[in-house]
Amino acid sequence: MSTHGRELLQALRSFEKGKIVSAREAVQLVQDGDTLATGGFVGIGFPENIAVALEARFLESTEQDPDGVGRPEGLTLIYAAGQGDGKERGLNHLGHEGLVRRVIGGHWGLVPKLQQLAVDNRIEAYNLPQGVITHLFRDIAAGKPGHLTRIGLGTFVDPRLGGGKINAKTKDDLVELMTIGGEEYLFYKAFHIDVGIVRGTTADTDGNITMESEALTLEALAIAMAARNCGGIVIAQVERIAERGTLHPRQVKIPGMLVDCVVVAEKPEYHMQTFVEPYSPAFAGEIRIPASHVPTMPMSERKIIARRAAFELRAEQRREPRHRHARRRRRRRRRGRRHRPADADRRARRDRWRSGRRARTSAPAANTQAIIDQPSSSTSTTAAASISPFSGWRRPTARAISTSASSARGWPVPAASSTSPRTRRQVVFVGTFTAGEPARLRSKTASCGSCNEGSARKFIPQVEHRTFSGSYAVKRGQPVLYVTERCVFQLTADGLELTEVAPGVDIERDILARMDFAPIIRGTPKLMDAAIFDDGPMDLRTRMLEVPLADRFSYDDQQNILFINFERLHVRTGADVVAIKAEVDARLAQIGKKVWAIVNYDHFELAPEAEDDYAAMVAQLVEHYYFGVSRYTTSGFLRAKLGRALKRRGVAPHIYESPHAALEHMRDA
């Protein structure tokens, strides 16, 4: 920070205002050539008032003094998540030629004014992974020279493929390729931060900042620490001021020792919880919404895709959507504190929410279990934009730069961060098969018929912006799936393989004719589950908690007993019965001889329409594969129901109440 800026900061404090200043006074501290780091996620946590004041200072100085004396020029702007509404708000306030010289951003899709400057080659522009930038803030705070990671290898941030530069004016290399222990890594260089601009809810006169009403905590602390470590200043925007010593220390997210100036938002619209929501107590973790109050998502291609993708989740896995940050932290409500809003104000805000002012937002979530800072989050959201067999690449055009599809966000993350030899976690890309209107199915039923097509194709030989490296994923043994509303592809060593097709879809007409390259097709692709396309509930929770059928069988070769675990298994249709028989056939074919079998039927559910088929299947298995079978369940009702069905097929039920009793029967047989 310049000497002039330090002198001005001291002058502001000399007026006995402490750290509390106006937005107009705070932005006077920004000097020519400064590097600014701003926090926020779309409209969450973004210091709108400070951005408005900085824009006003630049425009006023431009009109009053064309020579530019007294106005900030040539700023470098660094931000991680997208901070804007796609129109005028957020970082769009800084989208003026002359005000900024260089922009390093993790997402450009919501800042069209900055986009245009980059497209017109009027500023230096970089697009780096959102998570990497948040980690860089943390590394700068620790005094490190940069951030070393595999994230971005083989993508457009790899120096061999552009190094994150998105126009011809951008020359400096911010990313280096390094080899350590025979492994390739990318080194993202640290940068100097002159001014950190963050946001919270409440500040005391010492500058301690809390975030009890914020939907997310984001990277505010990391930015403040990074700016302080660089010798820069920190400006924090808040909603209200509290007396010294009244803030609970566990609620303070940014300690006052890191904060130089505190700006109280001048208008409610400058400090909304999101750009479309003034305040939701559910987003702040103050209350939990009854599940019955959450509106049902209408049937659409988005819901179909989400349903199919959810099948890849298992009970033991975590769901990890990055730009949602589906976490919740509890807000400890402390009555009687002077920094709390008046009861009437709190009631008014709750009434607004309860009356239906719950608007669509891009990141917050209700009923979450925890909210963690963005640098600590390893979560990622990936959606399918353009897809090539192995992510072939060509330098992005101006059109690509000006669309959100070109933004790094978390896209370079999956192949690198989830290919540890110990994890090999699957990456699932989701998106409509084509882009643009009206990329959706004509029918909402299981038999979808033909498909309406979007105006742009996604499956093309080369992509303009390589945000995911298929070849790198294959090299590291990374499972990758691409889910659309009409089909599913799997990435293999030979390219994309068509593995599933929606009922009613014609492969030639609706899939192959809409692709610019031929996928691999081995045999007949399986049908996607018909329940995905049905308007009714599909009992997804039960499906997600189910143990995969293949994991329900274990064989003890010493005792020659096949243990079958059907606990919580739901047999709904004839197709379920066929799948069970096929699995048993495969297992017994491997064993090559008859066995004894013990079956766990605890919490087993058999639909009436599948009852006869199931009993017939059991009779066939007993005849061909088993010396004998014993079964057990704690449910007397199920013992009676299943026993009647088996008796009708001439099968002795032998259903007991405990596994011990079932095993004793086996030994006595």
Side-chain angles (χ1 to χ4, degrees), residues 361-379:
T361 54
S362 297
N367 299 357
T368 52
Q369 294 180 345
I371 294 176
I372 59 178
D373 292 350
Q374 189 170 191
S376 301
S377 172
S378 61
T379 57

Side-chain angles (χ1 to χ4, degrees), residues 569-587:
L569 178 66
H570 292 224
V571 178
R572 304 175 180 84
T573 66
D576 294 337
V577 175
V578 171
I580 293 172
K581 186 176 186 305
E583 187 66 32
V584 176
D585 286 341
R587 294 297 179 121

